[in-house]
Amino acid sequence: MTIEYEWRGDFDNAALDALHAEGFGHPVARTDWRTRVERHSLGWVCAWEDGCLIGFVNVLWDGGVHAFVLDTVVAEGRQGAGVGSELVATAAQEARAARCEWLHVDFEEHLRSFYFDACGFRETTAGLIAL
């Protein structure tokens, strides 16, 4: 089966809610993803297989040279097949095309090899305040 990757793809809020809940292990919410990403994002990448949303990543930015990867998620049955790294590669390509110079990501420790090995991020020093 062919997987298609679409920058700023047209997605259904309910489909993204279900994918997000599955990927992040929380109940399905009723988030207005469309309004959220259109208001705050440089763009997003959707991964489609047979018309079904199987992957998503959001790319936020500062309006300048910094872009940020957030909410990378792949359907459970498609994890480990390269979908996530292709989502991030497409996000990086599109951020570069928008003249961003840096793509940032933060993640939990269990995703370290995904972001460093599969996606090519390098380790940096960063800070975080839990609010």
Side-chain angles (χ1 to χ4, degrees):
M1 309 237 171
T2 302
I3 298 172
E4 296 179 21
Y5 298 86
E6 184 180 18
W7 177 245
R8 297 182 68 89
D10 186 23
F11 61 85
D12 177 76
N13 280 328
L16 184 51
D17 270 337
L19 179 64
H20 199 272
E22 176 187 325
F24 292 101
H26 60 73
V28 174
R30 297 188 69 182
T31 303
D32 185 355
W33 287 101
R34 172 67 59 191
T35 298
R36 182 180 292 182
V37 298
E38 287 179 353
R39 183 178 301 145
H40 301 290
S41 302
L42 171 65
W44 53 92
V45 184
C46 297
W48 303 98
E49 186 173 49
D50 292 332
C52 293
L53 184 65
I54 63 158
F56 180 86
V57 66
N58 191 5
V59 184
L60 294 94
W61 71 325
D62 66 352
V65 299
H66 295 268
F68 308 84
V69 169
L70 192 64
D71 289 326
T72 307
V73 62
V74 174
E76 197 171 279
R78 302 303 288 141
Q79 292 175 4
V83 175
S85 58
E86 188 62 32
L87 285 167
V88 173
T90 303
Q93 175 184 332
E94 295 294 342
R96 191 176 299 109
R99 302 200 190 289
C100 292
E101 296 176 13
W102 300 100
L103 184 60
H104 303 263
V105 67
D106 67 350
F107 51 84
E108 294 178 0
E109 184 62 30
H110 72 277
L111 296 170
R112 181 180 192 83
S113 67
F114 169 71
Y115 283 108
F116 289 158
D117 300 334
C119 296
F121 283 88
R122 63 181 174 83
E123 192 166 354
T124 64
T125 302
L128 177 68
I129 296 174
L131 304 174

